[in-house]
Amino acid sequence: MNSLKSLAPALVTTLSLLALTPSQALAQTCDDQFKPVQNQLSAREQKALDKLRKEAAKYFAANLRLPEDSTAQQLQMILQGESTAVRPITVEEIVLREPQAAQSARGKIVAAYMKIVRTYQRIPDAKELAESLGLKEADIHALLGDGRLFQDLLVVRDQATQKNPRLFDRVVDTRFLDAAAMAKTEQVVREAQTLLVTTAVPYTPVSEHMLASLKVLAKKKNAKIVVMPAFMQTTGLDPKLLNDPDIHILVNTTILNPYLRLDNIKIMPKMLNPDAGLDQYGPRGQSVIVAAPQVRLKTVPTIENDAFPHFVMTTGAITEPIYNTRLPIQGRTDALAADRHNMAVLLVEKSRGSTASAIPGTSPTGIFHFRHIHYVEGKGMVDKATLYTPSGSQTARIEALVLPDIHVGMTDPRFLESVADAVKTLKPEYIVLHDVFNGHSISHHEAKNVLDAAVKYPTGQLDLARELRDVSTFINSLLRLDPKLEIRVILSNHDLWLNRWLSEGAFMKETHNRAIGVELAAAVVRGESAFEAALNRSGLEYPKRVNFVTNGSWTVAGVQLGQHGHQGANGARNSLLTMRRATDKTAFGHSHTTQILGHIVNVGTGSLLRPGYNGTGPSSWSHSIAAISDIGVSQVFIAQKGQWWTDVNIGNDPTFFPNGFPKVIPPTDPNLGPQTDQYSRSTR
């Protein structure tokens, strides 16, 4: 033991010069062996040993590693007894006995971590962090664990985030980009019958009530919950999402089939128009889903729209509408973002349509239906006619079913067949009709077209009485579906063609329509509505169950349904944005295209998608309907191959996907190195 006096100075020098990894043999030395030997040392020997520990701690703080094995072995030789051994200082002892040295070491690691983030705008892995510090990857892992500098690299990230939150505002967390994550994504997409896709804004809490409701919905539908982070920024996501095995984080573009993809394009969560420019993005006919906290959907005009419609849609969010930017000057954009924030998910489900038709050029494969499901705080979320809450599911009341422009006489037969199924499934209190009257018999657009008249007259298409009877027949067929059902006919621009025809006295020139024209003109002079008077004289079987909305306003469950959409602000043309300015929630028609902006819904058409007058050029016409539930939200259903939704569970049927699909597109940025996600945590 006396040899300690002569060897201690040399050991201090050796400790300060040499630098290798700790010995495994020393790591096996037990603390219970250390204490009795420590008690055997004299005060002078103990002081020398403490000095050695401090020198080792200084070296560790400067170099982020412990002294080499040979130095540790010398300490053992000096202090060993016949049956005991003393190990030198360890990382755990530095953290416990030398907190200042430990804190200095932590600061170096956090600083290096932040430097990589600042340079490459992404989260580093252990190997990259080690290289930036001049260490080996094993050295970094030696600093992580219970009682060491950090529990894991997630703690390093958290400390770096706390030190400079703005540094991480646009960071890509590459832990979700490795091969294991992509393989898991493909497996989930291939096997799931239904995907529930939403987004999450970083550094914003998840709505626990919505998440619980969503899990009930997922269980009932055998669905998988998919979260696409806003701006593809996984750093700062609520741990409730990252640590939940039932939630799948998606940051890679995933092409489901040639006609639908989940795209990882980065969209800032506060963008007022998150779909701006996306109507020109990607191949035509391949609809695209992108992550944004505002619900949007629009139909892009394309040449083959009637066969392969092109939709651009966002997801809605599962995080709360909280935007607290640090700079006061951005308070305006925070308020606007919170106002347009929609708590919602996009349901994507497998289907084969009403017939097992194949995608051209492939074996028989399937299609995807999609629809948004809005969440209402404290109430839950309604899909079709079912309300989902954290406590379970129950029947929801559908207050109204808004049909698109019907145009009887030009209506698509597939649409007529599918409407009956929708009414029987949703069981609405009311059906709302837009442009149920087409007006082809009295159209002022064709009044001077003698060739068109020559073709139509022999077939009875210019007979107003006959056209009105067809409209009444359609309404009667709807009312027969449910004896409690009521109809609301919204004043529409085609209805007003009748007013124009009467006011211009055109009926006096048409011998085949003169009698009904005179009768209707007299009714208008008496103060009756022209179209209402016409239908009441044309065979309505249940006139008391048919009411006409002519003043432009009729509200159900807080949703404005009285507007057709042909009249804009102050006499100008109407648009989706005009309706957003005019109402909080609405569902209207007129444009024949399907559009959604939050709770502003524009249903499409029930007519033929190519009736003739829209030519052969690009078109965005689509068949869609909107269901208004008693919790005050609209849900839009878009017809695909004669269906509004799937009626069979396809699951993992290998024939559903065409060859080569689904496919996950790997990252192409060379700066994105391999890391792990919640399915492969071993190197996290």
Side-chain angles (χ1 to χ4, degrees), residues 346-359:
L346 181 66
L347 181 147
V348 181
E349 63 181 355
K350 294 175 179 175
S351 175
R352 293 194 184 276
S354 58
T355 59
S357 55
I359 295 175

Side-chain angles (χ1 to χ4, degrees), residues 421-449:
D421 178 56
V423 173
K424 292 176 182 178
T425 300
L426 300 176
K427 297 180 174 58
E429 301 286 321
Y430 300 95
I431 286 182
V432 181
L433 298 180
H434 290 270
D435 267 341
V436 64
F437 175 67
N438 186 53
H440 51 264
S441 61
I442 58 167
S443 172
H444 55 279
H445 294 296
E446 306 295 337
K448 296 181 180 181
N449 191 334

Side-chain angles (χ1 to χ4, degrees), residues 77 95 116 304 466 488 493 530 601:
M77 293 174 61
V95 172
I116 297 172
E304 297 183 339
R466 175 177 174 174
R488 290 291 184 272
N493 61 307
V601 169

Side-chain angles (χ1 to χ4, degrees), residues 1 11 53 63 72 81 107 134 171 179 187 202 211 216 266 304 308 336 367 389 428 473 478 501 604 620 662:
M1 287 295 181
L11 288 174
R53 292 199 192 94
N63 300 280
V171 166
Q187 178 187 357
L211 179 58
V216 172
K266 296 179 181 178
E304 297 183 339
F308 309 115
L336 291 174
I367 62 171
T389 69
T473 298
L478 292 177
W501 182 73
S620 62

Side-chain angles (χ1 to χ4, degrees), residues 403-638:
L403 300 189
D405 294 13
I406 301 300
H407 297 289
V408 170
M410 301 289 289
T411 312
D412 191 318
R414 295 177 303 173
F415 175 83
L416 291 176
E417 293 175 4
S418 62
V419 162
D421 178 56
V423 173
K424 292 176 182 178
T425 300
L426 300 176
K427 297 180 174 58
E429 301 286 321
Y430 300 95
I431 286 182
V432 181
L433 298 180
H434 290 270
D435 267 341
V436 64
F437 175 67
N438 186 53
H440 51 264
S441 61
I442 58 167
S443 172
H444 55 279
H445 294 296
E446 306 295 337
K448 296 181 180 181
N449 191 334
V450 294
L451 295 179
D452 182 72
V455 172
K456 290 181 177 178
Y457 185 82
T459 62
Q461 295 182 65
L462 299 183
D463 186 338
L464 174 59
R466 175 177 174 174
E467 183 177 3
L468 291 171
R469 286 195 300 272
D470 290 343
V471 173
S472 293
T473 298
F474 171 75
I475 294 176
N476 292 337
S477 67
L478 292 177
L479 293 173
R480 291 190 197 114
L481 294 173
D482 186 341
K484 298 180 180 179
L485 188 63
E486 295 187 28
I487 299 286
R488 290 291 184 272
V489 181
I490 307 302
L491 181 67
S492 305
N493 61 307
H494 278 247
D495 306 344
L496 295 174
W497 288 9
L498 188 58
N499 295 65
R500 178 171 177 167
W501 182 73
L502 292 171
S503 64
E504 292 180 351
F507 59 91
M508 297 303 296
K509 303 174 185 178
E510 301 174 7
T511 56
H512 56 288
N513 286 329
R514 185 175 299 162
I516 189 173
V518 170
E519 183 179 355
L520 292 178
V524 171
V525 171
R526 291 194 299 269
E528 296 181 42
S529 164
F531 185 53
E532 183 174 355
L535 282 189
N536 284 331
R537 289 165 172 78
S538 301
L540 285 180
E541 295 178 356
Y542 312 98
K544 293 183 178 180
R545 293 165 59 193
V546 181
N547 291 281
F548 296 80
V549 179
T550 58
N551 65 354
S553 180
W554 181 57
T555 302
V556 172
V559 181
Q560 175 59 251
L561 302 179
Q563 288 284 315
H564 171 59
H566 61 295
Q567 294 178 322
N570 305 316
R573 295 186 64 179
N574 198 23
S575 69
L576 196 70
L577 289 177
T578 298
M579 297 302 289
R580 175 64 182 87
R581 297 185 188 103
T583 61
D584 294 319
K585 300 177 181 179
T586 188
F588 62 101
H590 183 61
S591 71
H592 290 199
T593 187
T594 305
Q595 304 179 86
I596 304 174
L597 172 55
H599 295 289
I600 309 303
V601 169
N602 188 186
V603 291
T605 183
S607 68
L608 297 169
L609 297 180
R610 292 288 184 177
Y613 67 86
N614 64 343
T616 59
S619 172
S620 62
W621 287 20
S622 52
H623 294 153
S624 59
I625 57 178
I628 315 301
S629 64
D630 55 354
I631 65 171
V633 294
S634 305
Q635 185 173 33
V636 176
F637 304 93
I638 301 174

